[in-house]
Amino acid sequence: MSKIVLLPGDGLGPEVMAEAVKVIGWFNSNFVTKLETSEGDIGGCSIDKHGVPLSDATLKKCREADAVLLAAVGGPKWDKVDYAIRPEAGLLKLRKELELFANLRPAKVFDALVDASTLKASVVKGLDILIVRELTGGVYFGEPRGIENLPNGERRGVNTQVYTTHEIHRVARVAFELARKRNNKVCSAEKANVMESGKLWREEVTALHAAEYKDVNLSHMYADNCAMQLLRNPAQFDVIVTDNLFGDILSDEAAMLTGSLGMLPSASLGAVKPDGKRAALYEPIHGSAPDIAGKNIANPLATILSVAMMFRYSFGMMKEAALLEQAVESVLAKGLRTADIMPTGDSAGCKKLSTSDMGAALLAELDALKPKMAARA
Ligand code: NAD
């Protein structure tokens, strides 16, 4: 029995999580593997109940679980809360405490949504790239940091970009391993031309590649060029590995190539432990969307695709992951859409669904696809 902790969080979180829970229930009823779920609080709802965005009890539960599925945190209600206990601080603490050093952000363009991108369909059609971002080091955590008052009356802000060999190797290893299961290409992005930490990054990725991953096609790119290439010819990439800061920016840019925030899942992974398991957090990349929360109009597919990533990376449930992704693809191909992914111009052939109707449509598609998959097996 695999244990999943569900953290619905704030805003649209509980609505999209409810649909993901139905999907997990469907797989429990239709497949041999059994997934046991329990809930916890995180973010604003946890501040309201426990005074902190992540309680020790929830953290303990997450540590003991095989995987954590989170929807979203934050909202205007908690905007004035002290920075250290903001809803987002709960999420940062969870990532740090579980040592989730590798953030996987796929950017996949579904054929049915190719026109949702602001780029030409010819540039993004069939796009399927994966950004692996280092998540627990670099300039967001480096010391010294802070803002100080200078004797001349000015103020000075400092952050420190810092990486060690070990931190670079472990995230690059994740990228190489994933590339082997995809198109076998890794592009490593840094600023080795102007930053010592970037020079070290390039040297260490090169050394690891030479020692263990010669079969993978490795290239290096300056991060600013990578940002340009993502717009010019994104299909040249398979897996991009990069640090925390550049990864933050490049993964948001790659997400926008798809044009649909409500469709994008993510995974954050820790090191593989001696028992073969690893800490893992799965979450959609969007926030709590206070503007649409509570209206049953949010797109639940990013959270549901995060479940597919959980099947693949935490539970080795490859055919279940593929079936779920196929069901999403089929629902879209039938023109079924939540409001955010409705075509802006001619919407002929498309039908607008609520959050719960999209969940129901997906379950119906899973029912329809299961016999076909069994016949293929
Ligand atoms: P957001 O992602 O919540 O919303 C941006 C826009 O996308 C909004 O118009 C929203 O309606 C839309 N949107 C987002 N998810 C959608 C979905 N599933 N279906 C349909 N439309 C969707 O970003 P924001 O407005 O900048 O932030 C809102 C709150 O969320 C803030 O408090 C922010 O701090 C927080 N936030 C949390 C996370 C997280 O939990 N990981 C990430 C980003 C922002």
Side-chain angles (χ1 to χ4, degrees), residues 12 16 70-76 79 86 88 91 95 261-263 283-292 297-302 338 340:
L12 56 51
V16 294
L70 178 141
V73 297
D79 274 353
R86 293 273 296 259
E88 293 77 3
L91 182 50
R95 290 174 179 160
L261 198 56
M263 296 294 304
E283 51 180 323
I285 71 156
H286 60 71
S288 59
D291 52 335
I292 59 164
I297 57 172
N299 187 345
L301 294 177
T338 40
D340 57 309

PDB file of all heavy atoms in Angstrom, residues 12 16 70-76 79 86 88 91 95 261-263 283-292 297-302 338 340, ligand 1:
ATOM      1  N   LEU A  12      -8.308  27.986  -5.206  1.00  0.00           N
ATOM      2  CA  LEU A  12      -8.896  26.900  -6.009  1.00  0.00           C
ATOM      3  C   LEU A  12      -8.372  25.526  -5.606  1.00  0.00           C
ATOM      4  O   LEU A  12      -8.830  24.497  -6.131  1.00  0.00           O
ATOM      5  CB  LEU A  12      -8.665  27.135  -7.511  1.00  0.00           C
ATOM      6  CG  LEU A  12      -7.253  27.330  -8.060  1.00  0.00           C
ATOM      7  CD1 LEU A  12      -6.255  26.309  -7.679  1.00  0.00           C
ATOM      8  CD2 LEU A  12      -7.305  27.493  -9.562  1.00  0.00           C
ATOM      9  N   VAL A  16      -9.639  21.757  -7.250  1.00  0.00           N
ATOM     10  CA  VAL A  16      -8.896  20.933  -8.219  1.00  0.00           C
ATOM     11  C   VAL A  16      -8.428  19.629  -7.561  1.00  0.00           C
ATOM     12  O   VAL A  16      -8.370  18.583  -8.204  1.00  0.00           O
ATOM     13  CB  VAL A  16      -7.713  21.703  -8.871  1.00  0.00           C
ATOM     14  CG1 VAL A  16      -8.236  22.841  -9.729  1.00  0.00           C
ATOM     15  CG2 VAL A  16      -6.714  22.224  -7.850  1.00  0.00           C
ATOM     16  N   LEU A  70       0.188  18.364  -3.753  1.00  0.00           N
ATOM     17  CA  LEU A  70      -0.238  19.676  -3.257  1.00  0.00           C
ATOM     18  C   LEU A  70      -0.968  20.419  -4.376  1.00  0.00           C
ATOM     19  O   LEU A  70      -0.601  20.283  -5.547  1.00  0.00           O
ATOM     20  CB  LEU A  70       1.005  20.450  -2.824  1.00  0.00           C
ATOM     21  CG  LEU A  70       0.824  21.871  -2.303  1.00  0.00           C
ATOM     22  CD1 LEU A  70       1.764  22.107  -1.130  1.00  0.00           C
ATOM     23  CD2 LEU A  70       1.101  22.918  -3.360  1.00  0.00           C
ATOM     24  N   ALA A  71      -2.001  21.206  -4.013  1.00  0.00           N
ATOM     25  CA  ALA A  71      -2.699  21.970  -5.056  1.00  0.00           C
ATOM     26  C   ALA A  71      -2.124  23.385  -5.147  1.00  0.00           C
ATOM     27  O   ALA A  71      -1.372  23.677  -6.074  1.00  0.00           O
ATOM     28  CB  ALA A  71      -4.195  21.972  -4.810  1.00  0.00           C
ATOM     29  N   ALA A  72      -2.417  24.252  -4.212  1.00  0.00           N
ATOM     30  CA  ALA A  72      -1.869  25.620  -4.290  1.00  0.00           C
ATOM     31  C   ALA A  72      -2.002  26.300  -2.938  1.00  0.00           C
ATOM     32  O   ALA A  72      -2.879  25.952  -2.140  1.00  0.00           O
ATOM     33  CB  ALA A  72      -2.628  26.431  -5.337  1.00  0.00           C
ATOM     34  N   VAL A  73      -1.145  27.281  -2.689  1.00  0.00           N
ATOM     35  CA  VAL A  73      -1.227  28.046  -1.439  1.00  0.00           C
ATOM     36  C   VAL A  73      -1.272  29.543  -1.737  1.00  0.00           C
ATOM     37  O   VAL A  73      -0.863  29.980  -2.801  1.00  0.00           O
ATOM     38  CB  VAL A  73      -0.018  27.762  -0.498  1.00  0.00           C
ATOM     39  CG1 VAL A  73       0.021  26.321  -0.054  1.00  0.00           C
ATOM     40  CG2 VAL A  73       1.294  28.193  -1.145  1.00  0.00           C
ATOM     41  N   GLY A  74      -1.769  30.295  -0.759  1.00  0.00           N
ATOM     42  CA  GLY A  74      -1.718  31.750  -0.836  1.00  0.00           C
ATOM     43  C   GLY A  74      -3.039  32.391  -1.201  1.00  0.00           C
ATOM     44  O   GLY A  74      -4.002  31.718  -1.556  1.00  0.00           O
ATOM     45  N   GLY A  75      -3.041  33.727  -1.070  1.00  0.00           N
ATOM     46  CA  GLY A  75      -4.236  34.499  -1.403  1.00  0.00           C
ATOM     47  C   GLY A  75      -4.194  35.830  -0.680  1.00  0.00           C
ATOM     48  O   GLY A  75      -3.429  35.999   0.274  1.00  0.00           O
ATOM     49  N   PRO A  76      -5.033  36.771  -1.111  1.00  0.00           N
ATOM     50  CA  PRO A  76      -4.998  38.136  -0.556  1.00  0.00           C
ATOM     51  C   PRO A  76      -5.240  38.184   0.948  1.00  0.00           C
ATOM     52  O   PRO A  76      -4.716  39.051   1.636  1.00  0.00           O
ATOM     53  CB  PRO A  76      -6.113  38.868  -1.310  1.00  0.00           C
ATOM     54  CG  PRO A  76      -6.844  37.855  -2.110  1.00  0.00           C
ATOM     55  CD  PRO A  76      -6.018  36.618  -2.175  1.00  0.00           C
ATOM     56  N   ASP A  79      -1.919  38.319   2.631  1.00  0.00           N
ATOM     57  CA  ASP A  79      -0.878  39.167   2.043  1.00  0.00           C
ATOM     58  C   ASP A  79      -0.125  40.002   3.077  1.00  0.00           C
ATOM     59  O   ASP A  79       1.037  40.345   2.875  1.00  0.00           O
ATOM     60  CB  ASP A  79      -1.484  40.111   0.988  1.00  0.00           C
ATOM     61  CG  ASP A  79      -1.566  39.420  -0.372  1.00  0.00           C
ATOM     62  OD1 ASP A  79      -1.042  38.291  -0.487  1.00  0.00           O
ATOM     63  OD2 ASP A  79      -2.164  40.002  -1.302  1.00  0.00           O
ATOM     64  N   ARG A  86       4.342  33.540   5.855  1.00  0.00           N
ATOM     65  CA  ARG A  86       3.400  33.645   4.738  1.00  0.00           C
ATOM     66  C   ARG A  86       3.051  32.233   4.249  1.00  0.00           C
ATOM     67  O   ARG A  86       3.814  31.290   4.446  1.00  0.00           O
ATOM     68  CB  ARG A  86       4.070  34.393   3.552  1.00  0.00           C
ATOM     69  CG  ARG A  86       4.370  35.853   3.806  1.00  0.00           C
ATOM     70  CD  ARG A  86       3.209  36.741   3.467  1.00  0.00           C
ATOM     71  NE  ARG A  86       2.891  36.712   2.049  1.00  0.00           N
ATOM     72  CZ  ARG A  86       3.258  37.666   1.187  1.00  0.00           C
ATOM     73  NH1 ARG A  86       3.981  38.679   1.606  1.00  0.00           N
ATOM     74  NH2 ARG A  86       2.882  37.608  -0.072  1.00  0.00           N
ATOM     75  N   GLU A  88       3.357  30.943   1.382  1.00  0.00           N
ATOM     76  CA  GLU A  88       4.431  30.422   0.527  1.00  0.00           C
ATOM     77  C   GLU A  88       5.601  29.904   1.353  1.00  0.00           C
ATOM     78  O   GLU A  88       6.334  29.010   0.914  1.00  0.00           O
ATOM     79  CB  GLU A  88       4.930  31.508  -0.445  1.00  0.00           C
ATOM     80  CG  GLU A  88       3.920  31.938  -1.490  1.00  0.00           C
ATOM     81  CD  GLU A  88       2.834  32.887  -0.970  1.00  0.00           C
ATOM     82  OE1 GLU A  88       2.883  33.276   0.224  1.00  0.00           O
ATOM     83  OE2 GLU A  88       1.920  33.220  -1.751  1.00  0.00           O
ATOM     84  N   LEU A  91       5.354  26.223   1.908  1.00  0.00           N
ATOM     85  CA  LEU A  91       5.771  25.425   0.753  1.00  0.00           C
ATOM     86  C   LEU A  91       7.299  25.367   0.648  1.00  0.00           C
ATOM     87  O   LEU A  91       7.880  24.292   0.428  1.00  0.00           O
ATOM     88  CB  LEU A  91       5.146  26.050  -0.505  1.00  0.00           C
ATOM     89  CG  LEU A  91       5.382  25.378  -1.843  1.00  0.00           C
ATOM     90  CD1 LEU A  91       5.066  23.901  -1.776  1.00  0.00           C
ATOM     91  CD2 LEU A  91       4.524  26.053  -2.913  1.00  0.00           C
ATOM     92  N   ARG A  95       9.631  21.954   0.905  1.00  0.00           N
ATOM     93  CA  ARG A  95      10.652  21.573  -0.090  1.00  0.00           C
ATOM     94  C   ARG A  95      12.018  21.416   0.566  1.00  0.00           C
ATOM     95  O   ARG A  95      12.761  20.488   0.267  1.00  0.00           O
ATOM     96  CB  ARG A  95      10.748  22.637  -1.185  1.00  0.00           C
ATOM     97  CG  ARG A  95       9.547  22.689  -2.100  1.00  0.00           C
ATOM     98  CD  ARG A  95       9.703  23.879  -3.028  1.00  0.00           C
ATOM     99  NE  ARG A  95       8.603  24.011  -3.969  1.00  0.00           N
ATOM    100  CZ  ARG A  95       8.301  25.141  -4.599  1.00  0.00           C
ATOM    101  NH1 ARG A  95       9.013  26.233  -4.388  1.00  0.00           N
ATOM    102  NH2 ARG A  95       7.293  25.191  -5.440  1.00  0.00           N
ATOM    103  N   LEU A 261      -1.616  27.754 -18.393  1.00  0.00           N
ATOM    104  CA  LEU A 261      -1.154  27.583 -17.015  1.00  0.00           C
ATOM    105  C   LEU A 261      -1.912  26.451 -16.300  1.00  0.00           C
ATOM    106  O   LEU A 261      -1.355  25.740 -15.481  1.00  0.00           O
ATOM    107  CB  LEU A 261      -1.412  28.911 -16.285  1.00  0.00           C
ATOM    108  CG  LEU A 261      -0.702  29.214 -14.983  1.00  0.00           C
ATOM    109  CD1 LEU A 261       0.796  29.115 -15.149  1.00  0.00           C
ATOM    110  CD2 LEU A 261      -1.093  30.601 -14.489  1.00  0.00           C
ATOM    111  N   GLY A 262      -3.165  26.291 -16.638  1.00  0.00           N
ATOM    112  CA  GLY A 262      -4.000  25.291 -15.970  1.00  0.00           C
ATOM    113  C   GLY A 262      -3.714  23.864 -16.388  1.00  0.00           C
ATOM    114  O   GLY A 262      -4.377  22.924 -15.941  1.00  0.00           O
ATOM    115  N   MET A 263      -2.714  23.689 -17.274  1.00  0.00           N
ATOM    116  CA  MET A 263      -2.416  22.353 -17.812  1.00  0.00           C
ATOM    117  C   MET A 263      -1.079  21.808 -17.336  1.00  0.00           C
ATOM    118  O   MET A 263      -0.711  20.704 -17.720  1.00  0.00           O
ATOM    119  CB  MET A 263      -2.338  22.414 -19.348  1.00  0.00           C
ATOM    120  CG  MET A 263      -3.611  22.770 -20.053  1.00  0.00           C
ATOM    121  SD  MET A 263      -4.868  21.510 -19.857  1.00  0.00           S
ATOM    122  CE  MET A 263      -4.029  20.061 -20.472  1.00  0.00           C
ATOM    123  N   GLU A 283       2.849  18.872  -7.791  1.00  0.00           N
ATOM    124  CA  GLU A 283       1.952  20.029  -7.706  1.00  0.00           C
ATOM    125  C   GLU A 283       1.796  20.685  -9.067  1.00  0.00           C
ATOM    126  O   GLU A 283       2.733  20.677  -9.875  1.00  0.00           O
ATOM    127  CB  GLU A 283       2.492  21.063  -6.701  1.00  0.00           C
ATOM    128  CG  GLU A 283       3.922  21.432  -6.946  1.00  0.00           C
ATOM    129  CD  GLU A 283       4.496  22.454  -5.965  1.00  0.00           C
ATOM    130  OE1 GLU A 283       3.788  23.370  -5.558  1.00  0.00           O
ATOM    131  OE2 GLU A 283       5.686  22.324  -5.644  1.00  0.00           O
ATOM    132  N   PRO A 284       0.616  21.277  -9.321  1.00  0.00           N
ATOM    133  CA  PRO A 284       0.480  22.077 -10.533  1.00  0.00           C
ATOM    134  C   PRO A 284       1.360  23.305 -10.392  1.00  0.00           C
ATOM    135  O   PRO A 284       1.669  23.701  -9.268  1.00  0.00           O
ATOM    136  CB  PRO A 284      -1.000  22.477 -10.518  1.00  0.00           C
ATOM    137  CG  PRO A 284      -1.395  22.425  -9.084  1.00  0.00           C
ATOM    138  CD  PRO A 284      -0.578  21.316  -8.473  1.00  0.00           C
ATOM    139  N   ILE A 285       1.743  23.927 -11.513  1.00  0.00           N
ATOM    140  CA  ILE A 285       2.630  25.098 -11.364  1.00  0.00           C
ATOM    141  C   ILE A 285       1.849  26.377 -11.072  1.00  0.00           C
ATOM    142  O   ILE A 285       2.413  27.364 -10.672  1.00  0.00           O
ATOM    143  CB  ILE A 285       3.542  25.310 -12.592  1.00  0.00           C
ATOM    144  CG1 ILE A 285       2.751  25.801 -13.800  1.00  0.00           C
ATOM    145  CG2 ILE A 285       4.327  24.072 -12.925  1.00  0.00           C
ATOM    146  CD1 ILE A 285       3.638  26.540 -14.765  1.00  0.00           C
ATOM    147  N   HIS A 286       0.516  26.329 -11.284  1.00  0.00           N
ATOM    148  CA  HIS A 286      -0.239  27.559 -11.045  1.00  0.00           C
ATOM    149  C   HIS A 286      -0.416  27.814  -9.551  1.00  0.00           C
ATOM    150  O   HIS A 286      -0.193  26.935  -8.716  1.00  0.00           O
ATOM    151  CB  HIS A 286      -1.600  27.498 -11.743  1.00  0.00           C
ATOM    152  CG  HIS A 286      -2.488  26.369 -11.308  1.00  0.00           C
ATOM    153  ND1 HIS A 286      -3.088  26.325 -10.070  1.00  0.00           N
ATOM    154  CD2 HIS A 286      -2.876  25.236 -11.952  1.00  0.00           C
ATOM    155  CE1 HIS A 286      -3.822  25.228  -9.986  1.00  0.00           C
ATOM    156  NE2 HIS A 286      -3.694  24.531 -11.107  1.00  0.00           N
ATOM    157  N   GLY A 287      -0.849  29.051  -9.224  1.00  0.00           N
ATOM    158  CA  GLY A 287      -1.103  29.413  -7.844  1.00  0.00           C
ATOM    159  C   GLY A 287      -2.544  29.149  -7.449  1.00  0.00           C
ATOM    160  O   GLY A 287      -3.234  28.334  -8.097  1.00  0.00           O
ATOM    161  N   SER A 288      -2.995  29.873  -6.416  1.00  0.00           N
ATOM    162  CA  SER A 288      -4.309  29.587  -5.849  1.00  0.00           C
ATOM    163  C   SER A 288      -5.441  30.315  -6.568  1.00  0.00           C
ATOM    164  O   SER A 288      -6.607  30.141  -6.214  1.00  0.00           O
ATOM    165  CB  SER A 288      -4.296  29.959  -4.370  1.00  0.00           C
ATOM    166  OG  SER A 288      -3.984  31.343  -4.252  1.00  0.00           O
ATOM    167  N   ALA A 289      -5.097  31.141  -7.558  1.00  0.00           N
ATOM    168  CA  ALA A 289      -6.075  31.823  -8.418  1.00  0.00           C
ATOM    169  C   ALA A 289      -7.274  32.373  -7.640  1.00  0.00           C
ATOM    170  O   ALA A 289      -8.414  31.979  -7.884  1.00  0.00           O
ATOM    171  CB  ALA A 289      -6.540  30.865  -9.528  1.00  0.00           C
ATOM    172  N   PRO A 290      -7.040  33.329  -6.730  1.00  0.00           N
ATOM    173  CA  PRO A 290      -8.150  33.857  -5.930  1.00  0.00           C
ATOM    174  C   PRO A 290      -9.268  34.450  -6.790  1.00  0.00           C
ATOM    175  O   PRO A 290     -10.431  34.473  -6.375  1.00  0.00           O
ATOM    176  CB  PRO A 290      -7.502  34.948  -5.071  1.00  0.00           C
ATOM    177  CG  PRO A 290      -6.055  34.938  -5.349  1.00  0.00           C
ATOM    178  CD  PRO A 290      -5.732  33.939  -6.390  1.00  0.00           C
ATOM    179  N   ASP A 291      -8.915  34.910  -8.011  1.00  0.00           N
ATOM    180  CA  ASP A 291      -9.935  35.541  -8.875  1.00  0.00           C
ATOM    181  C   ASP A 291     -11.020  34.565  -9.332  1.00  0.00           C
ATOM    182  O   ASP A 291     -12.132  34.970  -9.649  1.00  0.00           O
ATOM    183  CB  ASP A 291      -9.264  36.208 -10.103  1.00  0.00           C
ATOM    184  CG  ASP A 291      -8.332  35.274 -10.874  1.00  0.00           C
ATOM    185  OD1 ASP A 291      -7.805  34.302 -10.272  1.00  0.00           O
ATOM    186  OD2 ASP A 291      -8.120  35.497 -12.076  1.00  0.00           O
ATOM    187  N   ILE A 292     -10.707  33.273  -9.350  1.00  0.00           N
ATOM    188  CA  ILE A 292     -11.719  32.317  -9.831  1.00  0.00           C
ATOM    189  C   ILE A 292     -12.060  31.247  -8.780  1.00  0.00           C
ATOM    190  O   ILE A 292     -12.877  30.361  -9.033  1.00  0.00           O
ATOM    191  CB  ILE A 292     -11.276  31.624 -11.148  1.00  0.00           C
ATOM    192  CG1 ILE A 292      -9.954  30.873 -10.947  1.00  0.00           C
ATOM    193  CG2 ILE A 292     -11.179  32.620 -12.283  1.00  0.00           C
ATOM    194  CD1 ILE A 292      -9.676  29.878 -12.076  1.00  0.00           C
ATOM    195  N   ILE A 297     -14.913  26.733 -11.757  1.00  0.00           N
ATOM    196  CA  ILE A 297     -14.548  26.945 -13.170  1.00  0.00           C
ATOM    197  C   ILE A 297     -13.059  26.694 -13.422  1.00  0.00           C
ATOM    198  O   ILE A 297     -12.592  26.789 -14.546  1.00  0.00           O
ATOM    199  CB  ILE A 297     -14.909  28.372 -13.671  1.00  0.00           C
ATOM    200  CG1 ILE A 297     -14.234  29.448 -12.814  1.00  0.00           C
ATOM    201  CG2 ILE A 297     -16.416  28.573 -13.713  1.00  0.00           C
ATOM    202  CD1 ILE A 297     -14.386  30.872 -13.382  1.00  0.00           C
ATOM    203  N   ALA A 298     -12.307  26.381 -12.352  1.00  0.00           N
ATOM    204  CA  ALA A 298     -10.857  26.184 -12.518  1.00  0.00           C
ATOM    205  C   ALA A 298     -10.563  24.915 -13.313  1.00  0.00           C
ATOM    206  O   ALA A 298     -11.361  23.976 -13.327  1.00  0.00           O
ATOM    207  CB  ALA A 298     -10.202  26.081 -11.141  1.00  0.00           C
ATOM    208  N   ASN A 299      -9.414  24.925 -13.939  1.00  0.00           N
ATOM    209  CA  ASN A 299      -8.970  23.752 -14.700  1.00  0.00           C
ATOM    210  C   ASN A 299      -8.266  22.768 -13.744  1.00  0.00           C
ATOM    211  O   ASN A 299      -7.230  23.107 -13.171  1.00  0.00           O
ATOM    212  CB  ASN A 299      -8.000  24.234 -15.783  1.00  0.00           C
ATOM    213  CG  ASN A 299      -7.602  23.125 -16.734  1.00  0.00           C
ATOM    214  OD1 ASN A 299      -7.817  21.950 -16.444  1.00  0.00           O
ATOM    215  ND2 ASN A 299      -7.026  23.492 -17.859  1.00  0.00           N
ATOM    216  N   PRO A 300      -8.792  21.563 -13.595  1.00  0.00           N
ATOM    217  CA  PRO A 300      -8.160  20.611 -12.674  1.00  0.00           C
ATOM    218  C   PRO A 300      -7.061  19.777 -13.337  1.00  0.00           C
ATOM    219  O   PRO A 300      -6.429  18.941 -12.695  1.00  0.00           O
ATOM    220  CB  PRO A 300      -9.335  19.704 -12.283  1.00  0.00           C
ATOM    221  CG  PRO A 300     -10.193  19.668 -13.519  1.00  0.00           C
ATOM    222  CD  PRO A 300     -10.043  21.012 -14.188  1.00  0.00           C
ATOM    223  N   LEU A 301      -6.810  20.002 -14.651  1.00  0.00           N
ATOM    224  CA  LEU A 301      -5.934  19.060 -15.370  1.00  0.00           C
ATOM    225  C   LEU A 301      -4.463  19.139 -14.953  1.00  0.00           C
ATOM    226  O   LEU A 301      -3.758  18.128 -14.976  1.00  0.00           O
ATOM    227  CB  LEU A 301      -6.085  19.250 -16.890  1.00  0.00           C
ATOM    228  CG  LEU A 301      -7.473  18.875 -17.438  1.00  0.00           C
ATOM    229  CD1 LEU A 301      -7.558  19.153 -18.942  1.00  0.00           C
ATOM    230  CD2 LEU A 301      -7.806  17.406 -17.165  1.00  0.00           C
ATOM    231  N   ALA A 302      -3.979  20.331 -14.540  1.00  0.00           N
ATOM    232  CA  ALA A 302      -2.575  20.409 -14.098  1.00  0.00           C
ATOM    233  C   ALA A 302      -2.372  19.537 -12.855  1.00  0.00           C
ATOM    234  O   ALA A 302      -1.348  18.862 -12.709  1.00  0.00           O
ATOM    235  CB  ALA A 302      -2.199  21.853 -13.799  1.00  0.00           C
ATOM    236  N   THR A 338     -12.131  23.554 -20.020  1.00  0.00           N
ATOM    237  CA  THR A 338     -12.527  24.501 -18.973  1.00  0.00           C
ATOM    238  C   THR A 338     -12.345  25.909 -19.561  1.00  0.00           C
ATOM    239  O   THR A 338     -11.725  26.060 -20.622  1.00  0.00           O
ATOM    240  CB  THR A 338     -11.647  24.321 -17.710  1.00  0.00           C
ATOM    241  OG1 THR A 338     -10.303  24.094 -18.122  1.00  0.00           O
ATOM    242  CG2 THR A 338     -12.149  23.171 -16.862  1.00  0.00           C
ATOM    243  N   ASP A 340     -10.484  28.472 -19.048  1.00  0.00           N
ATOM    244  CA  ASP A 340      -9.151  29.019 -19.332  1.00  0.00           C
ATOM    245  C   ASP A 340      -8.559  28.510 -20.643  1.00  0.00           C
ATOM    246  O   ASP A 340      -7.669  29.145 -21.201  1.00  0.00           O
ATOM    247  CB  ASP A 340      -8.187  28.678 -18.182  1.00  0.00           C
ATOM    248  CG  ASP A 340      -8.088  27.185 -17.940  1.00  0.00           C
ATOM    249  OD1 ASP A 340      -9.142  26.535 -17.804  1.00  0.00           O
ATOM    250  OD2 ASP A 340      -6.961  26.655 -17.905  1.00  0.00           O
TER     251      ASP A 340
HETATM  252  P1  NAD B   1      -2.082  32.154 -10.228  1.00  0.00           P
HETATM  253  O1  NAD B   1      -1.351  31.057 -10.885  1.00  0.00           O
HETATM  254  O2  NAD B   1      -2.837  31.802  -9.014  1.00  0.00           O
HETATM  255  O3  NAD B   1      -3.089  32.838 -11.263  1.00  0.00           O
HETATM  256  C1  NAD B   1      -2.659  33.477 -12.468  1.00  0.00           C
HETATM  257  C2  NAD B   1      -3.842  33.496 -13.483  1.00  0.00           C
HETATM  258  O4  NAD B   1      -4.038  32.164 -13.979  1.00  0.00           O
HETATM  259  C3  NAD B   1      -5.144  33.914 -12.853  1.00  0.00           C
HETATM  260  O5  NAD B   1      -5.883  34.662 -13.794  1.00  0.00           O
HETATM  261  C4  NAD B   1      -5.858  32.610 -12.566  1.00  0.00           C
HETATM  262  O6  NAD B   1      -7.269  32.712 -12.580  1.00  0.00           O
HETATM  263  C5  NAD B   1      -5.350  31.713 -13.690  1.00  0.00           C
HETATM  264  N1  NAD B   1      -5.281  30.303 -13.273  1.00  0.00           N
HETATM  265  C6  NAD B   1      -4.375  29.761 -12.426  1.00  0.00           C
HETATM  266  N2  NAD B   1      -4.619  28.461 -12.262  1.00  0.00           N
HETATM  267  C7  NAD B   1      -5.702  28.164 -13.009  1.00  0.00           C
HETATM  268  C8  NAD B   1      -6.445  26.986 -13.231  1.00  0.00           C
HETATM  269  N3  NAD B   1      -6.133  25.796 -12.662  1.00  0.00           N
HETATM  270  N4  NAD B   1      -7.525  27.052 -14.041  1.00  0.00           N
HETATM  271  C9  NAD B   1      -7.865  28.198 -14.643  1.00  0.00           C
HETATM  272  N5  NAD B   1      -7.189  29.360 -14.481  1.00  0.00           N
HETATM  273  C10 NAD B   1      -6.119  29.344 -13.659  1.00  0.00           C
HETATM  274  O7  NAD B   1      -0.984  33.292  -9.898  1.00  0.00           O
HETATM  275  P2  NAD B   1      -1.142  34.665  -9.094  1.00  0.00           P
HETATM  276  O8  NAD B   1      -2.462  35.287  -9.394  1.00  0.00           O
HETATM  277  O9  NAD B   1       0.095  35.403  -9.348  1.00  0.00           O
HETATM  278  O10 NAD B   1      -1.117  34.243  -7.554  1.00  0.00           O
HETATM  279  C11 NAD B   1      -2.284  34.025  -6.754  1.00  0.00           C
HETATM  280  C12 NAD B   1      -1.851  33.494  -5.390  1.00  0.00           C
HETATM  281  O11 NAD B   1      -1.238  32.206  -5.562  1.00  0.00           O
HETATM  282  C13 NAD B   1      -0.819  34.366  -4.692  1.00  0.00           C
HETATM  283  O12 NAD B   1      -1.114  34.388  -3.317  1.00  0.00           O
HETATM  284  C14 NAD B   1       0.488  33.653  -4.957  1.00  0.00           C
HETATM  285  O13 NAD B   1       1.450  33.923  -3.960  1.00  0.00           O
HETATM  286  C15 NAD B   1       0.055  32.221  -4.948  1.00  0.00           C
HETATM  287  N6  NAD B   1       0.918  31.291  -5.709  1.00  0.00           N
HETATM  288  C16 NAD B   1       1.056  30.046  -5.201  1.00  0.00           C
HETATM  289  C17 NAD B   1       1.788  29.108  -5.910  1.00  0.00           C
HETATM  290  C18 NAD B   1       1.868  27.714  -5.353  1.00  0.00           C
HETATM  291  O14 NAD B   1       1.055  27.348  -4.528  1.00  0.00           O
HETATM  292  N7  NAD B   1       2.812  26.910  -5.795  1.00  0.00           N
HETATM  293  C19 NAD B   1       2.359  29.438  -7.140  1.00  0.00           C
HETATM  294  C20 NAD B   1       2.163  30.714  -7.658  1.00  0.00           C
HETATM  295  C21 NAD B   1       1.431  31.641  -6.931  1.00  0.00           C
END
